[in-house]
Amino acid sequence: MKYDGKVPSGPLAEKWKNYRGTMPLVAPNNKRRLDIIVVGTGLAGASAASTLGELGYNVKCFTFHDSPRRAHSIAAQGGINAAKNYQNDGDSVYRLFYDTIKGGDYRSREANVYRLAEVSTSIIDQAVAQGVPFAREYGGLLANRSFGGVQVSRTFYARGQTGQQLLLGAYASLSRQITLGSVQMHNRHEMMDLVIEDGKARGIIARNLLTGELERHAAHCVILATGGYGNVFYLSTNAMMSNTSAAWRAVRRGALMANPCFTQIHPTCIPVSGDYQSKLTLMSESLRNDGRVWVPKKMEDVEALRAGKIKGVDIAEEDRDYYLERRYPAFGNLVPRDVASRAAKQVCDEGRGVNVAGLAVFLDFEDAFERYGKSEANAHGDHNPSREKVLELGRKVVEKKYGNLFEMYEKITGQNPYFTPMMIYPAVHYTMGGLWVDYNLETNIPGLFSLGESNFSDHGANRLGASALMQGLADGYFVIPYTVGTFLSKEIRTPKIDPNGAAFKATEKAVADRIGQLLGVNGTQSVESFHRRLGKIMWDYCGMSRSAEGLNKARKMVQDLRAEFYKDVFIPGSADEYNPELEKAHRVADFIELGELMIVDALDRNESCGGHFREEYQTEDGEALRRDDEYTYVSAWEWPNPDAGDPTLHKEELVFENVELKTRSYK
Amino acid sequence: MKLKLKIWRQKNQASKGTFETYDVVANEHMSFLEMLDVLNEDLISQKKEPVVFEHDCREGICGTCSMVINGHPHGPNGGTTACQLHMRFFKDGDIITVEPFRASAFPVYKDLAVDRSAFDRIIQAGGYISVNTGQAVDANSVPVEQNVAEAAFDAAACIGCGACVAACPNSSAMLFTSAKVAHLSLLPQGQVEENQRVLNMVNQMDAEGFGRCSNVTACEAECPKEISVANIAMLNRKYFKASLASEKKVQ
Ligand SMILES: Cc1cc2nc3c(=O)[nH]c(=O)nc-3n(C[C@H](O)[C@H](O)[C@H](O)COP(=O)(O)OP(=O)(O)OC[C@H]3O[C@@H](n4cnc5c(N)ncnc54)[C@H](O)[C@@H]3O)c2cc1C
Ligand code: SF4
Ligand code: FES
C-alpha cells in the first residue's frame, strides 16, 4: 500500500495559505465539547497544549516529568532559525526552505518544509511577546548567528540556553492555560499505551509514576509530542529519560515508523571518558562559527599528544590539518553535521585522534580570540595592543557568546578551554526518523497526531542546526491548531468518549500484563546493562557508518539480546510504587525492538544520504553516494508485532516539483 | 577512590526515613550521579532496592537533580548542580552525606526525591505574559536595550531546582519567585501585568507554606545558577508598589 502525504495542490508558496483558508473549522461552541490529549510538554507539546487550550478545546496534557518545564527541550543550546532576514543578508522563506531540503539530502517532503520556513518568522514574534530574552545588538534589535550548512545569519539565540528560554516561554503559556482551566495537567504520568476504538485514536493508558496506578484517559483525539529516540544508542546527548515508548506503543497499535535509521550524529560533543559514562554532553554547533577544527598532520605529534608530552597549543600552525577548511573551502568549519562528523571519524580512523583513546579532534578558538580581541581594542581606541592584551579582550567577547558552554566544558573535563583547545568527538544527538505523518501531522491512525522530534516530517536524512526548536514550535503553535480541525470537524457530534469502554479495559489489561511479565522474569541482569549492550551494538553497526554485513550481524545480535532480556532481566521493587527501574525496563524493552527496526531500515536503504552512510555507497573521495533513481522515498514501516514476522515496508514516493535534486556539495 | 556514603533512605511519604551507609569505589572522572549509578548497579546486583534520586539532563539545565551533599544543596561547589559535580573534588576515604532537599513545602516522595510541584503553582499564579498564540507584533518592533535584555536573562536563567528553598533556614521561596518577577518586569512586554503578577505570585508562595525571607542570603550562595538576591529586593519594591495600587483601587 502506498501512503498519501495529503499535500494540498497549488503552487508551493500558496499551499499553506490556501489550505488554511479553505479547511474545515470547528466553531467555538463545539470546541468546548471536544477533548484532546497531548502527551509531552517539550517545545512541541507545550506549545500545542497551550494554543489548543487558548482556542477553547478541553486539553489533557501528560508528562512523565515532575514538571512540564523539565522536558528535554530545556537542554537545547545554540539557537532557533527563522527567515526574518533581519540581517539583510539575502535570507528569505525560500532560502530557508531550500537550505533545509538540501541539508536533509533531499529526503523530506517539499510542502512540509516550505510551511515550516513560512511560519518560522511568527515563532520569533511569539517568543519575544512571551518574554523570551533573546540576544540583542547594542541598538536593541535582535542579534543573529550562523549555523552549519547555510551561508546567512538567521539563528536567534539566548546565550547558549536557547531551548531553556523558549521552553520557559511555552511553559509560561501552558501555565496560564492551566490556571484558566482549559488545560488539565498530569505530571509524573507516563503514557503506557494508546487506545484505539473503531479505528480511531481515542485515549491512552497512563501510569501514575508515584503510585503505580494505571489510569484510563479518553479524548476525541490524541497528540504525541514525545521527543526523539536517540537514547537507543545508550550514550547520546539526550536527557537520560528521553525514550521511544510512546511512539513505539503507537507502532505496536498500527502506526507507521518512518525512516527510523536516519540518526543525527553531532560532530561536537565531549568525548567518552570511561565505561561508567551515562551520557554525552553536546558543545553547541554555534561554536563552529568561531572554532576551527583540526588534528595534527604528523603522527609523531599525535603520539606525543597522547603520551602527554606536548599540548595542542605546542603544535605549530603549519603542522596542523584544518581538515574541514581543507576539504570544504566554501563552507569550511560550517559544513552540515553529518559531513563534519564523518570527517572527524575519518581522521580518527587514520589514527590522528588527539586523546588517549584516539577518538577526539581539536576545536580551537585561538583565531577567534585574536580576531575579536583586535576589534575590541580598536573599538576602545587602542590601535597597538600587545598580543596578550588582544587575547584577553578576545576571550571576554567569546565568553559573552558562549560563556556557559565553556564553563560546562571545564566542569566536565577539568580543562580550561580559554587556554587550551577543546577536544570533541561526534555523538548521537537527534533522530530525524519518527512516526509517519501526513501534511496534517496525522499518522496513519485517524485521530493520532505526532509533533516535534517524535515525527519524521521535516528534516529528511539530516537536520540542520537550530531547526528542531523551529520545527517543534511551528508544529505546536502554528500547524496543529489548524490541522487538528480536519479531523475534529468530523467529530462534533461524537459524545464524550467513555474511558470505561471495552477497548480501554482491554488495553489497560494488556499494560498490566506487560508490567507483570517484566517483573515476573526476576532474572539476574540489570536493565541498565541491557541498555548499554544495545547501545554498543547500535553504535558499532548502525552508527556513523554502516554496511550490509555489519547490519546483518547486528540484527541477529539485537534479536538475541531481546530474547535474553525477557529471560534474565531483574527489576527490583513492585508495580504499585514509585519504581524508576520498572519505568526504565519498559523503555529499554521498546528500544530493543526499535533498534532492530532501525537496522532493517538501514539495510533496505542501499544508498548513502545525510546521516545514513552505507560503506558500499561512497564516491572515490569518500563522500556519500545518494541513489535518487531508487531511493527517493520515505520508508514507512509497519510492525505491530515483532514476534509475528518481519516488518512491512510502505513507500511514500517523494515528489520534487520545486527543487532540482543535486549532489550535495559544500566544497 | 574508596568512599563511604551516608544516604537518606525513605520508603515513601508516610514512612520515617533513616541514613544508611554504603561503600562505593569511584574514580575521579565520574560525575557524582555516575558514582551513584555505580552504587545502584551494585545494589541491584545484590537484589536490593537502588537509591531513588531524580535526574534527567545531567548537564545542569533541567533542574531535576536535587540532593543535599555534605550539607550543601547540589554539593559544596559554587554555581554547580549535583549532576555537574565531579568526583575529582573528592578524595579517597571521604565520607559523604547525601540527603533530600528538606522543606515542608517539598515533601519527600522516596529516598532523595521530593515534590516540588509548589513551584509550578507559583508560576501558574502569574509567572507569564498574557499573550495568545498569533497575537504577537513583529519581534523587532519593540527594541530592548542590550543590557536590559542581559539582566532579564540573568534572572530567567533560574532552573527551578529548589536549592534556594533547601538552603534557607526559613524555607523561603523568595529567590525563585523573585527571579521570575524580575525576568518579566525588566522587559517591556512584561510590565503591563506587573502589579497583578507580583501580588498573585507572592500570595501563592505564602499559600504553599514557604517561609518568610529574613535576608540570610544562603539561597544566593547555594543557587547553582548564581541568581542574585538583588531580585528579592526588586520583588519587595514591586510588591509594595502593587499593594498600594490595589488598595487605591479598593478605595
Ligand atoms: C543537548 C542538545 C542541544 C540541542 N540544541 C538544539 C539547538 O540549539 N537548536 C535546535 O533547534 N535543536 C536543538 N536540539 C534538538 C532539540 O532540542 C529537540 O529536538 C527538541 O527540543 C525536541 O522537542 P520535543 O518537544 O519534540 O520533545 P522533548 O522536548 O523531548 O519533549 C518530550 C516530552 O514528552 C514527554 N514524554 C515522552 N514520552 C512520554 C510518555 N510515554 N508519557 C508521558 N510523557 C512522555 C516528556 O516528558 C517530555 O515532556 C538539541 C538537542 C540536544 C540533545
Ligand atoms: S533561584 Fe537558583 S536555587 Fe532557586 S530554583 Fe532558581 S536556580 Fe534553583
Ligand atoms: S539533571 Fe538536569 S540539572 Fe541536574
Side-chain angles (χ1 to χ4, degrees), chain B residues 119 157-165 175-176 179 219 222-225 227:
Chain B
F119 272 13
C158 164
I159 57 175
C161 64
C164 44
V165 175
L175 193 63
F176 168 79
C219 52
E222 300 289 2
C223 170
K225 296 294 139 181
I227 303 291

Side-chain angles (χ1 to χ4, degrees), chain A residues 66-69 171-181 183-187, chain B residues 116-128 130 176 180 196-197 200-201 204 208:
Chain A
D66 72 318
S67 160
R69 66 181 292 157
Y171 162 73
S173 290
L174 178 63
S175 296
R176 176 168 159 252
Q177 292 309 308
I178 294 170
T179 299
L180 295 174
V183 177
Q184 207 185 82
M185 190 65 225
H186 298 263
N187 296 335
Chain B
R116 286 170 285 181
S117 53
F119 272 13
D120 281 335
R121 290 187 292 273
I122 293 176
I123 299 295
Q124 285 158 19
Y128 47 75
S130 300
F176 168 79
K180 186 46 64 189
Q196 203 51 52
R197 173 182 310 122
N200 290 351
M201 288 179 77
Q204 187 63 37
E208 296 289 347

Side-chain angles (χ1 to χ4, degrees), chain A residues 65 131 136 171 179 241 411 523, chain B residues 56 79 88 120 124 146 183:
Chain A
H65 285 99
R136 288 178 183 266
Y171 162 73
T179 299
M241 303 296 158
K411 278 198 177 124
Chain B
D56 197 20
R88 59 176 179 276
D120 281 335
Q124 285 158 19
Q146 194 187 53
H183 158 214

Side-chain angles (χ1 to χ4, degrees), chain B residues 179-249:
Chain B
K180 186 46 64 189
V181 166
H183 158 214
L184 296 176
S185 276
L186 282 162
L187 296 169
Q189 291 84 357
Q191 282 155 10
V192 183
E193 298 166 274
E194 178 179 283
N195 288 348
Q196 203 51 52
R197 173 182 310 122
V198 175
L199 295 177
N200 290 351
M201 288 179 77
V202 170
N203 289 344
Q204 187 63 37
M205 187 176 77
D206 292 343
E208 296 289 347
F210 291 105
R212 286 293 154 107
C213 170
S214 56
N215 296 319
V216 180
T217 70
C219 52
E220 182 187 79
E222 300 289 2
C223 170
K225 296 294 139 181
E226 300 172 324
I227 303 291
S228 161
V229 289
N231 292 312
I232 298 185
M234 186 200 230
L235 171 64
N236 284 331
R237 283 195 309 275
K238 304 258 177 216
Y239 184 74
F240 187 64
K241 190 187 108 205
S243 307
L244 286 181
S246 77
E247 267 166 35
K248 255 191 223 142
K249 241 189 260 160

Side-chain angles (χ1 to χ4, degrees), chain A residues 625-642:
Chain A
L625 189 70
R626 218 177 56 220
R627 296 179 57 203
D628 294 334
D629 48 338
E630 283 190 62
Y631 292 95
T632 311
Y633 61 75
V634 174
S635 314
W637 295 94
E638 182 183 344
W639 209 22
N641 185 1

Side-chain angles (χ1 to χ4, degrees), chain A residues 40-41 43-44 63 65 72-73 77-79 191 429-430 453 466 468-469:
Chain A
T41 62
L43 287 176
T63 170
H65 285 99
H72 165 59
S73 294
Q77 301 174 347
M191 167 181 162
H429 179 61
Y430 181 88
E453 195 175 337
L469 302 184

Side-chain angles (χ1 to χ4, degrees), chain A residues 89 124 171 197 255 285 349 376 385 605:
Chain A
D89 56 1
I124 303 304
Y171 162 73
E197 225 174 42
E285 171 161 303
D349 287 350
E376 273 297 288
R605 198 165 275 279

